[in-house]
Amino acid sequence: ALPIYRLLTFPAVHLGDAVFQTISIKNDNDTPMLFAFNADLSTAFKVVPPVGLVPAGCTQLLAVRFSPIDSTL
């Protein structure tokens, strides 16, 4: 199966504040799945946990934090 990409929309946030969204990763396979997010993409975004292992047939929740670092983002 091909991966499903969805748009993650954050509400308006003031410079210096942060907002959060929760997403899930589901492993439909019969073997464990590793995941890792590149922390160097943007300092405005952070994913927790940034790396992990999703057991076969399980789902992992992730918190995505957005905190703008300048007014052009």
Side-chain angles (χ1 to χ4, degrees), residues 18-37:
V19 291
F20 297 84
Q21 293 283 354
T22 302
I23 61 171
S24 63
I25 297 176
K26 184 174 183 184
N27 181 4
D28 289 327
N29 296 308
D30 58 1
T31 58
M33 176 182 72
L34 292 171
F35 68 89
F37 289 90

Side-chain angles (χ1 to χ4, degrees), residues 18-67:
V19 291
F20 297 84
Q21 293 283 354
T22 302
I23 61 171
S24 63
I25 297 176
K26 184 174 183 184
N27 181 4
D28 289 327
N29 296 308
D30 58 1
T31 58
M33 176 182 72
L34 292 171
F35 68 89
F37 289 90
N38 186 346
D40 294 334
L41 290 178
S42 171
T43 56
F45 291 94
K46 182 178 180 182
V47 179
V48 177
V51 296
L53 178 85
V54 183
C58 293
T59 301
Q60 171 71 49
L61 291 178
L62 305 169
V64 182
R65 177 183 187 265
F66 172 63
S67 181

